[in-house]
Amino acid sequence: MSRVHTPVTEELAAYIRQVTLREPEALRRLREETEEHPQASMQTSPEQGQFLHLMALISGARKTLEVGVFMGYSSTWVALALPPGGTVVACDRSAEYTARARETWREAGVEDRIDLRLGPALGTLDALIADGQSGAFDFAFIDADKSNYENYYERALVLLRKGGVILVDNVLWHGDVVNADDHRQDTEAIRRFNRKLHADQRIMLTMATMGDGLTLACKL
C-alpha cells in the first residue's frame, strides 16, 4: 500500500501498456491511424478504453450510452463487453467522424450493437427521456464538449438505473484545473462539474487518474 501516487513517466507508461493492454486488432489500427489526425487528442487512450470495457463487463451492462463518439474507439471497446442483444446508444454530431467509426464497428463485429444518433446530444438525450427510457440504461460514458458536461450528466443520471455507472473523461483537463491563471470557458466548466459531483448526494464518486482523469459515478 502507498499513500502517494507513483509518478508515471513515459517509460513507466510504456511498461504499463506492455503488461496490461489487450487491444483488439481493429482498435489498434484505428488508434494508430488517428495518431496522425489533427484532432487526435479527442481519442480515448487505450488504457481508458480497456478500463471502460472492464467496467461495462463487471457492471453487467446491456444498454449503454455514449456522448461523444469521434471515430468509435471507446464505443467499440464498450460494445465488445456487451452480451448478445446489448446496445450502445452513441450520440455525436459529426457524420464525417462517425463514418470512420462505422468501419471500426463493422471490423470489430459489433456494428449491430451500435445505435448511432446523429445530432446535438442534448436533443437525443431529451428524446430518450421523453420516450420513457428513464432508468433503462446501465452504463454511460461522457466525452464531448466540456461546456455541456453538467447538462449531459443530469440527463444521463435520469436515464441510468439505480446502481448504474457514469464515466466522464478529461476531468483533470491536462492539469489546468489547478492553474489559478486559467479561466478559459472549458477549464471553468470542468471545475464547476467536478465541484458539482463532489457535492452530489445522488451518487457514489471516485476518480481514476489514468489519462486525463476519469470520473466514475454510481447512481444511488
Side-chain angles (χ1 to χ4, degrees):
M1 299 293 289
S2 175
R3 295 186 298 168
V4 298
H5 293 289
T6 300
V8 180
T9 62
E10 287 189 15
E11 182 180 12
L12 187 54
Y15 172 78
I16 293 168
R17 186 170 296 183
Q18 179 185 359
V19 299
T20 63
L21 185 61
R22 298 174 177 177
E23 187 178 37
E25 184 65 18
L27 286 172
R28 183 192 64 79
R29 280 196 289 272
L30 174 63
R31 175 172 57 82
E32 292 180 352
E33 172 190 324
T34 309
E35 284 174 358
E36 304 302 321
H37 194 278
Q39 301 297 328
S41 62
M42 292 171 59
Q43 181 153 281
T44 304
S45 73
E47 293 78 18
Q48 285 181 312
Q50 186 166 275
F51 185 76
L52 292 172
H53 176 92
L54 179 62
M55 289 302 301
L57 188 67
I58 64 178
S59 65
R62 295 187 59 86
K63 191 169 185 178
T64 76
L65 181 68
E66 178 163 295
V67 181
V69 175
F70 191 39
M71 295 191 183
Y73 189 80
S74 55
S75 54
T76 303
W77 268 115
V78 172
L80 285 166
L82 302 183
T87 305
V88 179
V89 177
C91 308
D92 204 282
R93 302 183 66 152
S94 174
E96 175 188 353
Y97 292 157
T98 55
R100 180 63 183 88
R102 288 183 189 277
E103 294 178 20
T104 301
W105 297 333
R106 190 176 306 117
E107 186 178 353
V110 297
E111 188 176 24
D112 62 332
R113 300 180 186 181
I114 309 290
D115 178 5
L116 177 62
R117 307 286 183 97
L118 282 176
L122 288 179
T124 297
L125 300 176
D126 285 339
L128 290 169
I129 294 169
D131 192 40
Q133 297 198 47
S134 298
F137 287 78
D138 306 299
F139 181 94
F141 178 50
I142 299 172
D143 184 15
D145 55 301
K146 312 313 170 191
S147 61
N148 266 315
Y149 262 23
E150 292 184 65
N151 294 323
Y152 296 144
Y153 167 77
E154 286 295 340
R155 279 132 173 110
L157 201 61
V158 171
L159 289 163
L160 218 64
R161 62 168 172 82
K162 287 185 179 180
V165 179
I166 302 175
L167 294 96
V168 188
D169 201 8
N170 301 117
V171 291
L172 294 179
W173 205 227
H174 311 293
D176 287 331
V177 286
V178 295
N179 180 355
D181 296 324
D182 189 337
H183 298 287
R184 291 173 296 168
Q185 180 179 353
D186 284 346
T187 307
E188 294 289 4
I190 292 291
R191 289 179 181 136
R192 285 194 307 272
F193 179 74
N194 289 339
R195 290 193 299 268
K196 174 187 177 72
L197 267 63
H198 185 238
D200 193 344
Q201 298 302 306
R202 299 171 295 175
I203 60 169
M204 291 290 291
L205 175 70
T206 193
M207 183 188 293
T209 55
M210 66 176 68
D212 194 24
L214 189 64
T215 284
L216 291 82
C218 178
K219 182 177 178 178
L220 298 176

